[in-house]
Amino acid sequence: MKRILPTLVFLALAVNAHAEPQAVSGVADVNGTRLHYLSAGRGEPVVLLHCYTQTSHMWLPLIAELAKTHAVIAPDLRGAGASGKPETGYDKKTLAQDVHALVQSLGLGRVTLVGHDIGLMVAYAYAAQYPGEVTRIALLDAFLPGVGNWKDVWLLRDLWHFHFYGETPLKLVAGRERIYFEHFWNDFAADRTRSVPEADRRLYTAAYAQPGGMRAGFAYFAAFPQDAVDFEGFAKTKLPMPMLVLSGEKASGNTLIEQARLVASDVEGVVVAGSGHWLMEEAPAQVIPRLVAFATAAPAAQP
């Protein structure tokens, strides 16, 4: 099953309405694991880092636009999609090291980073570890563990899922992955009928239902205490590159923007009106052009 999955993912991309012919699959062995990624276009490189419950597939509409002027790489993070699912390494510092190793293996040099949800945490950890190799960074709707009043987000009553991992949760969701993911796709949207499309829900459910997929997904949350320690240390040195923060009015609101200003010195924050957490699906007409404009802005001076 694991051996044929990259082919299945590629075929799914080819028939999905979001797919563009220039998006192709690749696989690289880096940092002790295997990363599957989508690539397209030529030019200044942009790296797209996906949300939990999703894979690199979520970025296809943005890839179609960015690839007109940029080289775009969208990996499946360690543990997700067609990437490897080792037992360890789900703290965001290590996930960022995975992506950095992929970027180096592809000879991309300085990159623009775009991350959503868990992906934004990885993007921040990448920029904090390799600030001289990041041109600019965009963070989409979630929060930064260990920064400011982050526990006001983490410990909210309706975010029980951050503590939902281990042997019993794995047994509870086995064969019921779709039911579990519906909590995210429906309850975190401003309007569940404008959230993640049905075809994508089926694709993501199948991806995480692979052996080891849910264990790895839960590990992203289990690593938050370590992420908080790491990010608190990173935040002592503010990021110098331009940062764009997009957050949903009905989701993170100003919280992520306020956190971003604690960790970076050049922050533009935008609350996307009427949107929940799923910015790419709920507000593509606002989000995609803004990300394209940000990625195509004049390069920031190297520090």
Side-chain angles (χ1 to χ4, degrees):
M1 177 68 175
K2 290 182 179 179
R3 184 173 296 275
I4 65 172
L5 186 66
T7 301
L8 294 178
V9 170
F10 181 78
L11 291 175
L13 295 175
V15 301
N16 189 274
H18 288 166
E20 293 290 327
Q22 68 267 35
V24 297
S25 285
V27 175
D29 293 319
V30 293
N31 202 34
T33 192
R34 181 185 70 174
L35 291 188
H36 166 262
Y37 61 92
L38 301 178
S39 64
R42 293 184 179 181
E44 294 295 321
V46 180
V47 177
L48 309 176
L49 303 173
H50 65 81
C51 177
Y52 178 59
T53 78
Q54 297 182 303
T55 68
S56 57
H57 177 85
M58 68 163 284
W59 295 118
L60 287 176
L62 180 59
I63 291 173
E65 295 303 315
L66 282 175
K68 296 173 183 177
T69 52
H70 292 76
V72 187
I73 302 296
D76 291 337
L77 297 174
R78 175 190 295 239
S83 288
K85 297 168 179 60
E87 293 291 332
T88 60
Y90 295 94
D91 62 281
K92 310 315 169 287
K93 181 178 178 180
T94 299
L95 293 173
Q97 291 167 358
D98 292 347
V99 178
H100 180 256
L102 174 63
V103 167
Q104 288 191 312
S105 75
L106 297 173
L108 296 181
R110 296 183 86 217
V111 300
T112 290
L113 298 170
V114 179
H116 180 212
D117 188 80
I118 294 296
L120 80 79
M121 300 175 194
V122 180
Y124 172 65
Y126 188 120
Q129 292 178 90
Y130 315 105
E133 300 177 43
V134 178
T135 304
R136 58 182 68 81
I137 179 172
L139 309 181
L140 277 64
D141 204 82
F143 65 97
L144 294 168
V147 175
N149 295 322
W150 75 284
K151 289 187 178 180
D152 289 347
V153 178
W154 184 25
L155 298 178
L156 285 175
R157 177 180 54 81
D158 62 341
L159 299 185
W160 53 267
H161 59 271
F162 287 160
H163 309 280
F164 187 73
Y165 52 81
E167 181 180 359
T168 298
L170 281 172
K171 290 179 179 178
L172 289 172
V173 301
R176 305 178 184 89
E177 295 85 1
R178 172 70 183 259
I179 296 172
Y180 168 69
F181 283 160
E182 293 287 343
H183 162 63
F184 298 87
W185 296 329
N186 294 339
D187 297 347
F188 288 12
D191 177 354
R192 67 178 57 190
T193 66
R194 297 175 55 231
S195 181
V196 177
E198 173 61 26
D200 290 353
R201 294 183 184 214
R202 292 196 299 267
L203 186 149
Y204 297 139
T205 299
Y208 281 87
Q210 298 173 72
M214 292 306 301
R215 170 187 53 76
F218 288 163
Y220 297 141
F221 299 146
F224 278 175
Q226 181 60 53
D227 298 331
V229 172
D230 293 337
F231 285 20
E232 185 178 6
F234 292 153
K236 293 176 181 178
T237 303
K238 283 196 170 184
L239 298 180
M241 73 288 297
M243 176 182 286
L244 172 66
V245 179
L246 302 179
S247 92
E249 179 188 12
K250 307 298 183 180
S252 295
N254 284 308
T255 299
L256 179 60
I257 297 171
E258 293 168 357
Q259 285 188 308
R261 290 179 174 143
L262 295 175
V263 304
S265 56
D266 182 4
V267 176
E268 177 188 2
V270 178
V271 175
V272 180
S275 181
H277 180 65
W278 308 101
L279 294 173
M280 284 291 297
E281 292 80 11
E282 295 184 68
Q286 298 178 67
V287 171
I288 292 176
R290 191 174 286 273
L291 288 173
V292 171
F294 182 68
T296 55
Q302 293 198 35

